[in-house]
Amino acid sequence: MTDAAGDLRVYAEYDRDFSEEVDAVIVGSGPCGAVVAKELTDAGKRVVLLEEGPPFTPSEYELDGALSMARTMREGGLRATRGTVMPTMQAIALGGGSLVNSAICNRAPDFVLDRWCTDFELEHTTLSDLDPHYDAVGEFLGIAPTPENVQGERNLSFKRGCDALGYSSEPCLRNVRGCRGSGECFTGCRMRAKQSMDISYIPAALRGGARVLTSVRVEEVRADGHRVLGVSGRVVAPFTGRPSHRFRVNARAVVLAAGCMATPVILQKSGNLANRSGQVGENLQFHPGVAIMGVFPDPVHPEFGATQGYQSRHFLRDGFKLETLWAPPAVLAVRMPGSGDAFKRRLAQIPCAAIWDAIASCPRSLGRVRARRRGLDPNLTWHLHRDDVLILAQALWTLAEIFFAAGARSIIPGVHGIPDELHSRSEAEILRTHSLKASDILTGGNHAFCTTRMHGDPSRGVVDENGKCHDYENLWIADTGIFPRCPSVNPMWTGMALAHRLAQTLAERL
Amino acid sequence: MGWIFFSVALGYAVARVVFGYREPESPLTRLTRGEAAFLAAAADATFPSGGALRSSGREARIPAYVDRLLIASHARSRRQMRLLFFLLEHATLFFPAPGLSGFRRFSSLTDEQRVAVLDGWASSRFWQRRLVFGSLRAILTLGYFAHPPVLRALGLAPFALRSPICEADLLYPRIGAHPSSILLTRADLTPPSDGTPISLGAPIDPRYAEDDS
Ligand SMILES: Cc1cc2nc3c(=O)[nH]c(=O)nc-3n(C[C@H](O)[C@H](O)[C@H](O)COP(=O)(O)OP(=O)(O)OC[C@H]3O[C@@H](n4cnc5c(N)ncnc54)[C@H](O)[C@@H]3O)c2cc1C
Ligand code: SF4
């Protein structure tokens, strides 16, 4: 039917237990796993890519935000940390997070990577070390700045506000080809413009001869001495997760790319594998995000425009990055305060509104991932550090400032203890004068890292800088869990660049 | 004697929790009568009729939406949602609503009492109570926006878009179907999106365009 030399399996095709024998098995088809699959296949290796979720096509996308989340996200999109309660979303789909994310691509800043190198004893992870890998991924996915004609007023007003205050800003680079500005990246790109892994790297891996098995859940990595032997698990029904047939894949190398929440759980469930350092599941970090809605005097037509088309890296050294944002209106409305008539009045303002967010670098705010007794869903604990609350407060104030500079008539900050709506820059001063607590701020954390961190010292990290586990010769980890510290910018491109390097190193050793 | 008193009290408590709910307005698959009654009451307290957006919570068929959401949700999320509904429906049996006969289930309170109870949760100094309220309001809001007339009134209904057919469409069948069900061939591939911006007045998706008011 296609010129795919490989083979893709879906749930309806499994009718018995099975086993496979390959050079490399990759667990998880998100941005990191998909890159490894393609690069190893291109290097002539026999590869099988295992993914628990199903493949989605546009006819399967739900335009309704909540129903979409129930289908594409783990725990129906209702996963949250304990300690400081914060929602966090991980996808369960062929392509992982790339199916639902906004496609923003950023290279990690050089000062961040330099600190990774000095603080975590890494020798080859500066920006110039990673640039060739960023370039390779960028070229393959067509990563480019968002064109002006699909920005729409909701993105361009952000630029205006930044310009007025002298803050630098730029169109977001995105892995997108032919974006029409539908603003619906979160529920899946019906225009097939977003180069999510299911339409980019995975078809390329299949063309190269990879086998891609969907609806299979890896439950265990099998090991013997200093080598791992492969993985085993169950076929699971889409959406219900009901297990059926068993499978086993024997491989010369195992690459875990199940995401920063799932990989540590798989290791813990495999007899606490690769954990001589005691760091598996530790150091969980996020970029907690806060958002403000600004209401303008005239219609903004927020329904049009690239989902997240503009950003400002001006405050990266202060600990936060600013972005424009759009999501299904229902999901945005959930953040608005009030009830009854007042709530309805606010909702009626959405056509005149823009939403901008800030993501913060919070390396002091740490958590951990633990396996539950049953199942593979993680137990997450995380605490927002007091000092990081100050960064979020500063970010909220800066967003407010930009809104008023862009001509907003009012803002809705969504912060407990502060008036629901603020009508001027001076009223908004309260965002920096009021002493905020972690529980006053509505945060969300969809960028997550560090749970199997890299470290030059095997007693302090799980993998080396190429992603190879210190404790095993042939066990590798490729997802964002290997970041030693939060990258301060959207993580996908950095994860893929590191995965690209991992694949090159592994291909040489196989 | 104590035993009889205990049994009567228990029977009364069970009756208050389980019985006395009317048949829901539309047939529901997952929601119990009690849950549907609670949701209808909470929906109208959150989205009263009239005002800036015409539809009320009940007119927006929020209980029917939550029923669909429960079907689509994972077992744990389903349990959490039901626990939330149960908690809020019965909390006023222990912490009464203001005014006369405040010791009643949420769905049996007057409109004013319901609004007052929800306001109490929303502005509580305990973040856990605010979280409970926020979760309920989130579910109700998702349901409200799932009602096509609401999005149409706001001019925010999704655009009608025709997806290009790409290589992936030849690889992936519909979820649950066998690959043999893919009828597309390479001859069906269409040019990829050329990046023409969607125009603001473009038609909206047929699922939102139909008259559903
Ligand atoms: C709504 C949203 C918006 C975002 N926007 C951006 C953005 O614009 N830019 C950006 O850089 N980042 C963004 N992110 C974050 C980004 O998507 C993630 O950092 C990225 O997807 C991580 O890639 P990964 O390969 O490490 O893991 P994932 O993408 O999580 O992929 C892991 C895959 O492994 C599978 N898996 C897990 N367990 C198993 C198992 N036991 N067996 C088999 N398979 C398994 C999962 O189903 C999943 O498909 C966003 C995230 C979300 C949720
Ligand atoms: S904004 Fe719309 S067209 Fe552009 S990439 Fe996102 S979903 Fe696709």
Side-chain angles (χ1 to χ4, degrees):
Chain A
M1 209 174 338
T2 69
D3 15 275
D7 178 23
L8 177 114
R9 286 290 168 96
V10 294
Y11 181 66
E13 291 176 276
Y14 303 107
D15 55 3
R16 68 194 69 172
D17 295 355
F18 62 92
S19 64
E20 305 256 343
E21 197 87 33
V22 287
D23 291 328
V25 57
I26 299 147
V27 181
S29 69
C32 303
V35 169
V36 178
K38 175 190 173 286
E39 295 305 324
L40 287 181
T41 324
D42 285 354
K45 308 300 171 196
R46 282 178 310 138
V47 166
V48 63
L49 175 63
L50 305 177
E51 169 55 52
E52 184 175 354
F56 282 79
T57 48
S59 60
E60 307 277 355
Y61 297 159
E62 267 289 350
L63 296 172
D64 176 271
L67 293 176
S68 172
M69 274 156 56
R71 285 161 71 80
T72 57
M73 303 290 190
R74 290 192 176 266
E75 301 182 48
L78 300 181
R79 183 175 274 182
T81 56
R82 296 184 188 169
T84 303
V85 178
M86 178 173 73
T88 172
M89 288 190 241
Q90 283 79 43
I92 171 165
L94 189 68
S98 69
L99 187 81
V100 295
N101 75 19
S102 303
I104 301 178
C105 294
N106 272 287
R107 289 177 204 239
D110 49 3
F111 73 88
V112 167
L113 294 173
D114 288 346
R115 288 206 54 191
W116 283 15
C117 288
T118 46
D119 294 354
F120 299 91
E121 300 176 27
L122 309 174
E123 286 170 6
H124 308 292
T125 306
T126 63
L127 186 55
S128 57
D129 293 319
L130 293 187
D131 267 339
H133 304 287
Y134 278 119
D135 290 345
V137 172
E139 202 170 303
F140 183 79
L141 290 178
I143 293 175
T146 305
E148 170 112 5
N149 65 352
V150 294
Q151 289 284 4
E153 178 58 14
R154 118 175 98 69
N155 290 314
L156 292 175
S157 52
F158 175 81
K159 171 184 164 30
R160 266 203 322 274
C162 288
D163 287 351
L165 294 168
Y167 300 154
S168 64
S169 66
E170 59 279 324
C172 292
L173 298 181
R174 294 180 311 147
N175 53 314
V176 159
R177 288 194 170 100
C179 172
R180 296 189 62 199
S182 70
E184 57 189 26
C185 294
F186 183 71
T187 48
C189 177
R190 284 185 289 159
M191 290 317 302
R192 297 300 218 182
K194 179 168 67 170
Q195 298 299 296
S196 47
M197 300 305 111
D198 54 324
I199 66 164
S200 56
Y201 268 96
I202 293 167
L206 282 163
R207 277 196 299 274
R211 282 168 62 65
V212 177
L213 310 187
T214 64
S215 293
V216 290
R217 179 169 62 211
V218 170
E219 294 175 342
E220 189 186 6
V221 179
R222 290 172 295 106
D224 186 17
H226 284 290
R227 291 188 68 77
V228 292
L229 307 173
V231 299
S232 53
R234 303 286 289 266
V235 169
V236 287
F239 309 129
T240 63
R242 199 177 325 107
S244 55
H245 307 290
R246 294 177 188 279
F247 70 88
R248 171 182 280 247
V249 180
N250 299 325
R252 291 166 58 207
V254 172
V255 182
L256 295 178
C260 140
M261 307 294 182
T263 289
V265 171
I266 295 173
L267 291 171
Q268 288 162 5
K269 291 263 177 181
S270 307
N272 205 15
L273 209 65
N275 196 19
R276 277 219 301 234
S277 63
Q279 299 299 317
V280 168
E282 299 297 316
N283 312 304
L284 173 65
Q285 291 183 29
F286 293 96
H287 286 153
V290 287
I292 290 190
M293 178 163 140
V295 183
F296 289 83
D298 299 313
V300 168
H301 295 293
E303 70 278 17
F304 170 69
T307 307
Q308 298 200 264
Y310 238 86
Q311 65 178 16
S312 168
R313 294 171 51 125
H314 191 96
F315 298 94
L316 283 185
R317 284 182 190 272
D318 298 302
F320 58 94
K321 170 180 178 273
L322 307 175
E323 307 166 335
T324 57
L325 174 68
W326 189 243
V331 175
L332 298 175
V334 158
R335 297 182 60 92
M336 296 172 78
S339 66
D341 284 330
F343 186 37
K344 275 183 147 187
R345 269 198 305 280
R346 290 226 167 84
L347 297 179
Q349 295 178 330
I350 297 181
C352 295
I355 306 234
W356 302 337
D357 73 282
I359 55 169
S361 302
C362 296
R364 285 161 295 216
S365 302
L366 295 172
R368 64 163 53 131
V369 175
R370 285 284 178 273
R372 292 172 198 248
R373 199 169 319 147
R374 290 180 52 201
L376 288 179
D377 283 332
N379 245 329
L380 305 174
T381 17
W382 177 77
H383 295 275
L384 182 56
H385 191 278
R386 276 171 56 109
D387 294 352
D388 292 336
V389 174
L390 298 179
I391 295 184
L392 289 169
Q394 177 65 25
L396 282 166
W397 155 249
T398 310
L399 286 172
E401 223 192 342
I402 300 172
F403 265 119
F404 287 113
R409 146 161 81 77
S410 65
I411 59 163
I412 299 172
V415 175
H416 177 71
I418 280 184
D420 288 347
E421 201 157 348
L422 302 167
H423 297 88
S424 65
R425 191 175 184 277
S426 57
E427 272 184 36
E429 290 275 350
I430 191 170
L431 286 166
R432 49 173 183 188
T433 51
H434 185 82
S435 147
L436 293 178
K437 293 194 298 294
S439 56
D440 292 336
I441 312 176
L442 274 181
T443 51
N446 293 332
H447 301 170
F449 346 85
C450 306
T451 52
T452 52
R453 75 175 181 198
M454 59 169 76
H455 203 296
D457 176 354
S459 69
R460 296 166 69 196
V462 181
V463 298
D464 67 18
E465 60 192 317
N466 290 314
K468 191 189 85 60
C469 285
H470 288 299
D471 299 357
Y472 285 88
E473 283 166 29
N474 60 341
L475 176 60
W476 302 67
I477 301 180
D479 52 53
T480 58
I482 67 171
F483 293 9
R485 184 181 280 145
C486 62
S488 303
V489 294
N490 318 65
M492 176 174 62
W493 199 5
T494 302
M496 295 174 89
L498 290 169
H500 189 265
R501 176 166 80 177
L502 178 158
Q504 283 188 344
T505 317
L506 174 55
E508 280 165 20
R509 296 195 194 170
L510 270 175
Chain B
M1 187 66 187
W3 180 84
I4 294 174
F5 176 76
F6 177 74
S7 307
V8 170
L10 185 69
Y12 177 74
V14 169
R16 294 290 290 206
V17 169
V18 178
F19 299 116
Y21 289 108
R22 269 197 256 132
E23 188 81 29
E25 281 160 22
S26 50
L28 301 167
T29 311
R30 289 274 176 166
L31 286 177
T32 62
R33 280 183 184 198
E35 288 165 342
F38 165 71
L39 282 166
D44 270 354
T46 310
F47 302 103
S49 181
L53 290 166
R54 199 160 54 95
S55 311
S56 71
R58 211 178 288 248
E59 284 158 1
R61 300 180 203 146
I62 289 178
Y65 174 84
V66 177
D67 197 47
R68 270 191 293 149
L69 189 62
L70 285 180
I71 294 169
S73 296
H74 294 235
R76 187 175 315 131
S77 316
R78 230 174 3 240
R79 275 198 300 275
Q80 285 168 346
M81 281 192 251
R82 306 191 99 137
L83 188 65
L84 178 80
F85 304 152
F86 184 86
L87 174 71
L88 283 156
E89 167 72 339
H90 297 104
T92 37
L93 294 179
F94 304 96
F95 304 100
L100 279 179
S101 333
F103 274 113
R104 285 187 296 167
R105 294 185 296 220
F106 183 87
S107 56
S108 307
L109 298 171
T110 64
D111 289 348
E112 293 72 33
Q113 284 175 316
R114 289 173 189 162
V115 170
V117 168
L118 291 183
D119 282 349
W121 286 86
S123 56
S124 169
R125 62 197 172 90
F126 300 109
W127 65 265
Q128 293 87 342
R129 285 193 73 199
R130 297 200 304 272
L131 187 73
V132 167
F133 169 77
S135 307
L136 171 71
R137 217 202 46 168
I139 294 169
L140 299 174
T141 308
L142 294 168
Y144 191 64
F145 274 80
H147 189 53
V150 171
L151 279 184
R152 281 205 302 270
L154 290 168
L156 297 174
F159 295 107
L161 295 176
R162 175 173 298 183
S163 303
I165 298 172
C166 69
E167 188 186 3
D169 298 302
L170 313 189
L171 294 167
Y172 313 144
R174 280 191 73 88
I175 296 173
H178 195 271
S180 58
S181 64
I182 304 174
L183 302 175
L184 298 168
T185 69
R186 293 204 78 81
D188 298 307
L189 295 178
T190 59
S193 168
D194 63 1
T196 308
I198 298 170
S199 57
L200 277 176
I204 59 177
D205 186 90
R207 283 165 283 182
Y208 289 81
E210 66 211 35
D211 190 15
D212 200 5
S213 50

